[in-house]
Amino acid sequence: KIPPAMIDNKGQLVVALPQHQPKSFLYYILIYVIIPIAAPILITYKMITDKSYLSTTASLYSLVANATKNPCSTQWYFQNVTLLRKLWELPSAKAYIDKETNEPLVEYQIQEGYCGSATQRCILKSLGCSSVIIPQQKRGESKPDIWCEHICQIGQQLKMEVTTKIVRGDVTYEEFLSTLKRGLESKNCRIGCNFLRSALTGFEGNNSFWWLSPSFILTKVYAGHFSPVLGIVEQDGKEGEGKNPFVAIWDTNHKYNGAYFVPARRLYDAVSAVDVLSNLHRAIILVEKKETCN
């Protein structure tokens, strides 16, 4: 069992928060000047060159708007203490806790845009690599193909053979769920998830005028996120019956307070969301270790 000191009274693994990174002047220039100017140009270009752009955008907006009406973050299961305590008893979740020191092997992204790199570090640490020798977090690990290429490169540098398998959101729900379960059942496999988080939590506006901000809306409709998948806890009662279990995600953004649960079908919708820049569905990524890290 995990020592009680490692789990707080809310059922969360105790993980150090990242140091506060004050927003720079360039950040405000980007959000309030560059994006409002560049967005119409990009949108016009996509409308001219991509016939599916408008229908894809409409579908994404509808997905997020529906999540705003029924966000997972307000549901009883989201960070339910009982479910969290069940989670930390699963081998797939225990893999993210050091067996010798009982220290957490998950971490938060140090700032926006570092979620892909933070997910890589969480997974590699859980597979046996020291955090000291894994490259520090950085921007740019935002696309599944590049993400896979880089985590394999890091593995080679650390004398660990790592293979990856991308399963995009255009597979059936049954294949998506069976892939999750198979990956989580393997002691040498970890799962990274690239998903549209706002499909789970909605627009999450801080005030009633959020809809007036083009940058805010575009970010919520278009911007994906990376986080590790920790495990699956079956639902009780008729609604679950093994077909729609709760999937536990360790959100690399500390604003979401660690691990949370979402129904598998909701996560499937978030992974099925199309990345408008690549016109590809988002994905879950199976990372498998072939040998131990030296």
Side-chain angles (χ1 to χ4, degrees), residues 240-288:
E241 296 181 346
K243 298 180 180 179
N244 191 27
F246 294 124
V247 181
I249 296 170
W250 172 265
D251 202 304
T252 52
N253 188 329
H254 73 280
K255 295 178 182 178
Y256 292 85
N257 300 311
Y260 57 70
F261 295 93
V262 295
R265 289 188 182 276
R266 291 288 297 269
L267 182 61
Y268 174 69
D269 290 341
V271 173
S272 296
V274 172
D275 179 346
V276 295
L277 294 181
S278 66
N279 279 336
L280 295 173
H281 296 266
R282 300 188 184 280
I284 54 174
I285 303 170
L286 279 67
V287 181
E288 187 172 0

Side-chain angles (χ1 to χ4, degrees), residues 31 35-36 39 210-220:
I31 296 298
I35 291 182
W210 59 262
W211 53 273
L212 293 175
S213 170
S215 300
F216 180 83
I217 294 175
L218 289 174
T219 299
K220 292 297 183 180

Side-chain angles (χ1 to χ4, degrees), residues 133-180:
I133 62 176
I134 302 173
Q136 295 301 306
Q137 293 183 27
K138 63 178 183 178
R139 293 186 186 276
E141 307 290 347
S142 59
K143 305 294 182 184
D145 293 296
I146 296 175
W147 190 94
C148 288
E149 179 182 343
H150 287 176
I151 198 171
C152 289
Q153 289 175 351
I154 295 171
Q156 289 178 351
Q157 294 169 5
L158 303 180
K159 310 300 183 184
M160 172 189 285
E161 183 182 354
V162 172
T163 62
T164 59
K165 179 182 179 181
I166 297 173
V167 179
R168 294 198 177 270
D170 54 355
V171 299
T172 65
Y173 170 72
E174 288 73 21
E175 183 176 348
F176 172 81
L177 182 57
S178 64
T179 300
L180 279 177

Side-chain angles (χ1 to χ4, degrees), residues 41-109:
I41 299 173
L42 175 62
I43 290 172
T44 301
Y45 172 77
K46 290 290 290 183
M47 289 174 62
I48 294 173
T49 61
D50 184 357
K51 295 181 180 179
S52 65
Y53 173 74
L54 286 178
S55 60
T56 298
T57 297
S59 176
L60 292 172
Y61 184 89
S62 176
L63 182 64
V64 179
N66 288 335
T68 304
K69 298 175 184 176
N70 184 30
C72 292
S73 53
T74 63
Q75 303 303 310
W76 70 268
Y77 52 75
F78 188 67
Q79 290 180 319
N80 179 271
V81 175
T82 301
L83 292 179
L84 285 168
R85 295 193 183 281
K86 287 182 180 180
L87 171 68
W88 298 120
E89 294 301 319
L90 298 177
S92 60
K94 284 184 176 181
Y96 288 92
I97 301 171
D98 190 288
K99 293 180 180 179
E100 296 181 0
T101 66
N102 290 315
E103 291 295 321
L105 300 175
V106 288
E107 62 184 54
Y108 293 115
Q109 64 192 60

